Amino acid sequence: MASELEPEVQAIDRSLLECSAEEIAGKWLQATDLTREVYQHLAHFVPKIYCRGPNPFPQKEDMLAQHVLLGPMEWYLCGEDPAFGFAKLEQANKPSHLCGRVFKVGEPTYSCRDCAVDPTCVLCMECFLGSVHRDHRYRMTTSGGGGFCDCGDTEAWKEGPYCQKHELNTSEIEEEEDPLVHLSEDMIARTYNIFAIMFRYAVEILTWEKENELPGDLEMVEKSDTYYCMLFNDEVHTYEQVIYTLQKAVNCTQKEAIGFATTVDRDGRRSVRYGDFQYCEQAKSVIVRNTSRQTKPLKVQVMHSSIVAHQNFGLKLLSWLGSIIGYSDGLRRILCQVGLQEGPDGENSSLVDRLMLSDSKLWKGARSVYHQLFMSSLLMDLKYKKLFAIRFANNYERLQNDYVTDDHDREFSITDLSVQIFTVPSLARMLITEENLMTIIIKTFMDHLKHRDAQGRFQFERYTALQAFKFRRVQSLILDLKYVLISKPTEWSDELRRKFLEGFDAFLELLKCMQGMDPITRQVGQHIEMEPEWEAAFTLQMKLTHVISMMQDWCALDEKVLIEAYKKCLAVLMHCHSGFTDGEQPITLSICGHSVETIRYCVSQEKVSIHLPVSRLLAGLHVLLSKSEVAYKFPELLPLSELSPPMLIEHPLRCLVLCAQVHAGMWRRNGFSLVNQIYYYHNVKCRREMFDKDIVMLQTGVSMMDPNHFLMIMLSRFELYQIFSTPDYGKRFSSEITHKDIVQQNNTLIEEMLYLIIMLVGERFSPGVGQVNATDEIKREIIHQLSIRPMAHSELVKSLPEDENKETGMESVIEAVASFKKPGLTGRGMYELKSECAKEFNLYFYHFSRAEQSKAEEAQRKLKRQNREDTALPPPVLPPFCPLFASLVNILQSDVMLCIMGTILQWAVEHNGYAWSESMLQRVLHLIGMALQEEKQHLENVMEEHVVTFTFTQKISKPGEAPNNSPSILAMLETLQNAPYLEVHKDMIRWILKTFNAIKKIRESSSTSPVAETEGTIMEESSRDKDKAERKRKAEIARLRREKIMAQMSEMQRHFIDENKELFQQTLELDASTSAVFDNSPVVSDMTLTALGPAQTWVPEQRQFVTCILCQEEQEVKVESRAMVLAAFVQRSTVLSKNRSKFIHDPDKYDPLFMHPDLSCGTHTGSCGHVMHAHCWQRYFDSVQAKEQRRQQRLRLHTSYDVENGEFLCPLCECLSNTVIPLLLPPRNIFNSRLNFSDQPNLTQWIRTISLQIKALQVLRKEESTPTTASSKKSETMGELQLPEGFRPDFHPKNPYSESIKEMLTTFGTATYKVGLKVHPNEEDPRVPIMCWSSCAYTIQSIERILSDEDKPLFGPLPCRLDDCLRSLTRFAAAHWTVASLSVVQGHFCKLFASLVPNKNHEDLPCILDIDVFHLLVGLVLAFPALQCQDFSGISLGTGDLHIFHLVTVAHIVQILLTSCTEEDGMDQENSTGEEELAVLALYKTLRQYTGSALKEINSGWHLWRSVKAGIMPFLKCSALFFHYLNGVPSPSELEATGTSHFEHLCHYLSLPNNLICLFQENSEMVNSLIESWCHNSEVKRYLEGQRDAISYPREPNKLIDLPEDYSSLINQASNFSCPKSGGDKSRAPTLCLVCGTLLCSQSYCCQTELEGEDVGACTAHTYSCGSGVGIFLRVRECQVLFLAGKTKGCFYAPPYLDDYGETDQGLRRGNPLHLCKERFKKIQKLWQQHSITEEIGHAQEANQTFVGIDWQHL
Ligand SMILES: [Zn+2]
Ligand SMILES: [Zn+2]
Ligand SMILES: [Zn+2]
Ligand SMILES: [Zn+2]
Ligand SMILES: [Zn+2]
Ligand SMILES: [Zn+2]
Ligand SMILES: [Zn+2]
């Protein structure tokens, strides 16, 4: 069918292309009814361009649309060729100074913490970098998409509103200038016409709801019969559900289904079928049927294709409008005008209104297109922004209602624009005054919470799922309210006052519905059956916290508003609790001759609620009255006489008693919901408007009533009245009540009550309560947090309350109270409390949790002990109260208080008769201390005309009166001072008595002039004095005002303005930790050590004993004993790779004999160095395997190790392992013994002999493989064959190893083969020995690389495990041939040998440029014994080693010279004089000759020698390591220390001449013929002719990629990255490979690929090509390092980026600027170079079980 359709489509296309935009525009210009004309054009052409088949063709459609539809409009608009017209417009335009860049998903945005009006004001990266804020305290986030840059918006920034780029335009811009003046009348008229028609068309078609019928003026005559089955997005169904359903419904492949689902998710809809109506309808019914089971079905519509066509064009049109207005601010204004013009239907009929109101009905894609248009038009035009804001506010309620029922996230809703409008201060103010916005928002919110209890309070219990969903959605309204309030007015108009207070009324209504909500009753007997709902109420409270605070802030700004708000709030509170004194008869309480009436109420028996927002708001306002001094200025305007202190305190007191009782264990049966509520009540997120305000309310109450009365009411609410009012009740109580729980419970209650009194008197750090400012408050919080322990910046931030701008105010004060300690390689930077701040420590700080309190106590006592001070923690000196609260201190010296103190001390004195506790006593001591501090301050700051009325010392000196006749408090303290059972409190009692005496002295010496403190004072600084004078002046003013109010307040004496005195404080010095000293045992310098050859240094055999970690048995390592093994981990590696694109395609056929010098894929072996018996390990491994199989059947979970692949954890250190290496003695010594070393051949002779032996072997091999029929010939050839002298190819040596060792040799060999080649284990495979040698070579190379990179000596102190691993690995590889087939190993030797010494039988070997010589060396040396064992001619193994080594070295030098890219850099080194230099020059000339002068001419021997030396170093070092471990010759001491060059020492150790070129000269004939053969290779020619590449030496070290210093440039880079598979879409999880720098689209369906039959994410797929299974990535948006290994293993790792506080920010939650920490990045690099990534993952997974559950393969 397609083929028939094609020509037709092409014909249409051709006819379309023949249209002339100019002609059409010309026709339109003449038209009388332009609308009709244009609509006809659209009706005709749109369906011809869009929706011609099942799939869209965006490029073609766009091209045709531009030509046929948009082109004419542009011509019409410009009146000429738009190419010129638009350019002219742009030139004439005076662009706005607003940036307005709309953010892409993932783009970095910046906010200035110093200058932004609120945190929603952000800059794009370009503007930020050009702004003053880059040097301020800024915050960085990644955009979730939507929103735009606020650069240029003067209302958004306190300072620096323009960046450099946007500043340029500001000088010319007049705010009020009409941009239309730059356009001609004609142009305005035309623009207006065309915009009006097109905008209306787009709105009409996008909001069109019929499925089969077009609007009348777009209906066509001839209508096709094609439909789409359109699938819409919802947030209910998962990806998987959609994909599954589609496969069923439209018979597509999984890939297609994924494609559909991805588009539906992104654009909001996608047609899944195209055809006639029936065909589409059928698919629809299947989808609906399949998805309607549990939830509502997916939305599907069968739509006529022409409707879809018009809608697609409608969207195109809106984008087009958005780009056209970019040419000129005038065009933009016209568009705004068109959009906001009221239509024929009056109210809400403008195009903008119509779009907004149908927002929730539109699909995602359509929404985001028109939202963007709004942002680039209405929000960029200052005049229309205001008009739009009004429309938005007008529609607010409807839009919100639509949003609440819509299921799309808020970012796709028009309501999300509120942040752009409400946070503009002038707009917010205008909307409040003119549109009553505050009230609208609150009322809309309330309307959605209809579920109320009998008292009209919110009720969240028994919410349906739908109600809960709605509740979650309406919470965004609170956010809107916050936006409106976030910038506070600087001036108040009467209208603003009126409207704000109206809003405040509405707000109080809201709080009223919360006052007393979720009441609880103590559960006795039964445990509650179901945890009651509590979270919703707390969510509400938490969301409102900032709004409540901001309401208070607003009130604080205007005295009139504050007074009115206070009155309103009080009225509401009285209304709430009007009934509180009803009911029962009041009861009378009396103690010490004081009596008071109160109601009968028990928290433990009646309903109580934690939610008291109205009371708390009143408390907040009351503090403001004090702070702003309104209370003294206008007492007559305040309803202070209406205040009933008992009423005010009642509910907060109940709430605090509830907490005490919960703590005392009385509410255990109420379950966890209550525990959680109490937790949040005190939590930093809530406490500011909960717990803190309850304390303030009690302080307010106490300051207005007789403290004795207050205390009695409190005792009664704590249900402790009986104990303290009845003499000897305590004694009877403890003897009668034998139930321990009850006694304990009562004790806790008493402790809690005392704690509450301490808080009421001591907590005066809120401005308005005490004479402090906000800085003092935050300082005190920090001091107390740091008293617990040193903390990181983020920990501190978390412990402090944030304001609505997310600020804690900590930065401004932290320097004053703490010192910063930088982090090391791990961990974080820490703040430590300055020692001079310790004296401000208050053990009973009210924000301490119980655990924190005891930790702080312990820490502070420890500190004091370290300083050799006494361990008393007396109360700190406190700032004075504000006058309104001043009388509060009298609670300390009130009769009832003294009675309580006396009683408790009495119990302590007669300690056996009563139920009392030390905590109780400690609190009483603290209270006494507080009273003494208070009195002392009063005395010290007394002003002449006043008398000190605080006489606590006198009162406690008096003995009790009849009938008690108890001793005085002082006397009891003196008694307790020596009580043996109070050892801990002795210091505190002593401190009290000392202070008491000091006060007595002050009183005695003079009642007026203060006396110097006995303990010694330090001189105060002059600034302090100034401060003091200022405070005194203020206080004096306050005092005068206060006189007025005092009459109204209940009672009380005078107050004095106190002053903090610095107390003498010893500074504490912690001594720095001592650094460890390494002792290097002196090593004797010894140039005689030689590692190989006939001259090898003889090493006396050392017996080696090891202990098995499993059975603890010791055993000697011997040839014939049971095998001892090391746990080992073999892995493939690309760490050294110089070519990451190489890939082994068919591992079964791959021949690993020759390693290419690009080292593209090696096999690395590592070990933790732990030794076991082979049989112990076997038993252990079997049990692990059995256990794992059982566990997997049960849980089907991954573990950190894969048993099926032979993985296990080292039983000692849990290091990931997958095999074991046997421990062996140096294997060469075993075979060397039978030979004498006289008369060894030289290199030339040796090569000849070996060549002969090889030839003989090859002939024999051929014999064996020829069939038996030719047996007659066999003897013939045998006869012909001259066996070299002493060569006995029929000899097979006996394997010297025990069975157990042999088995382990095979085990490890097979494991290396299996892992290295990724094939099935096969111990017979001829490639097994190759893999063993190769792994040995590769591991040595990688270790040499690390040592060089770190500039460490070759034989320096290597970590034990590395040393053990290399030794075992080398010896194992050397011994492995004994368990392999002799002929196979000989075959390998022959082939390897042939690569250097040509041999007719091996002609297709790699050329010398394509062989890694170290791998070659290891292979040759380790295979050689297989040949040598049959040689009885007297050539020793050592001779062979030496000649092999020399031969390979010669080859390497040739390699280096051929590939060296030596540049003669004109330095004065032309005259080569050194012996080496002349020799190498001669050698180079020879090479040139053999290569036919293809080699570049170089005349500087100095340069050549230098490059040979540099190039050969790594090889020499590797060789030294290799022979050292192979033969066990100790290393020369020179190589154990770091130094410049060890070239000579290395040469000597390796038995090489210092002048390496001598190797060539000594055997010149043989060597020259070899060189010639190498140079004649065709590959060498190709290389020299520049036709191919080759590796040059030394190889550059491999590093991880370079990362930028500033993290935001990474974010920016990633935000420009789009998914490579789904056409320009922004990737959601851009992830950077740190090995090669590739950006990947991770964790997403779009980029999944199939790997070995499984779907894997982009990262996993990448690890296979880039890191042979291991990968290191940076997840850019999370700022998190990701380690992956294989498909199932992975972990997250701390990123190498730190903020200024030395902390990482995983997840970019805090947004502090991040900078690269080079040391940490190096550490990651080191993990990679050491092949420790897999091990690190293993440890991380063992430590963090959540890592095991993550589906790593899909990342
Ligand atoms: Zn910008
Ligand atoms: Zn800018
Ligand atoms: Zn700034
Ligand atoms: Zn053992
Ligand atoms: Zn271990
Ligand atoms: Zn992708
Ligand atoms: Zn990579």
Side-chain angles (χ1 to χ4, degrees), residues 1055-1089:
H1055 312 284
F1056 303 96
I1057 308 311
D1058 301 336
E1059 177 54 37
N1060 269 330
K1061 286 234 165 164
E1062 230 30 46
L1063 282 175
F1064 179 71
Q1065 176 72 39
Q1066 275 182 306
T1067 52
L1068 36 130
E1069 271 168 38
L1070 292 168
D1071 46 342
S1073 58
T1074 50
S1075 58
V1077 182
F1078 286 100
D1079 60 322
N1080 276 327
S1081 46
V1083 188
V1084 188
S1085 160
D1086 197 351
M1087 272 296 271
T1088 60
L1089 290 168

Side-chain angles (χ1 to χ4, degrees), residues 1004-1015:
E1004 278 163 8
S1005 65
S1006 159
S1007 57
T1008 47
S1009 64
V1011 172
E1013 258 183 87
T1014 46
E1015 286 171 63

Side-chain angles (χ1 to χ4, degrees), residues 303-400:
M303 301 171 77
H304 192 269
S305 62
S306 61
I307 296 175
V308 180
H310 278 288
Q311 289 188 335
N312 286 0
F313 179 62
L315 288 184
K316 176 78 193 160
L317 203 53
L318 291 182
S319 317
W320 176 79
L321 285 170
S323 65
I324 292 295
I325 58 173
Y327 292 119
S328 157
D329 287 18
L331 297 189
R332 185 169 67 207
R333 173 147 296 185
I334 296 173
L335 184 69
C336 292
Q337 223 168 326
V338 167
L340 282 170
Q341 198 165 54
E342 208 161 89
D345 305 330
E347 180 90 28
N348 288 340
S349 63
S350 78
L351 296 171
V352 167
D353 283 309
R354 282 173 62 187
L355 272 177
M356 282 200 283
L357 292 173
S358 40
D359 187 71
S360 66
K361 294 193 196 97
L362 293 178
W363 65 102
K364 249 189 200 175
R367 294 189 201 185
S368 67
V369 168
Y370 96 83
H371 293 171
Q372 288 215 5
L373 182 64
F374 278 15
M375 280 194 259
S376 58
S377 56
L378 296 161
L379 294 178
M380 288 298 125
D381 187 302
L382 292 180
K383 180 175 166 193
Y384 280 91
K385 190 175 187 176
K386 206 165 150 186
L387 296 176
F388 174 60
I390 293 173
R391 298 309 316 143
F392 188 78
N394 264 320
N395 289 323
Y396 188 81
E397 196 180 338
R398 268 186 67 183
L399 294 182
Q400 293 299 343

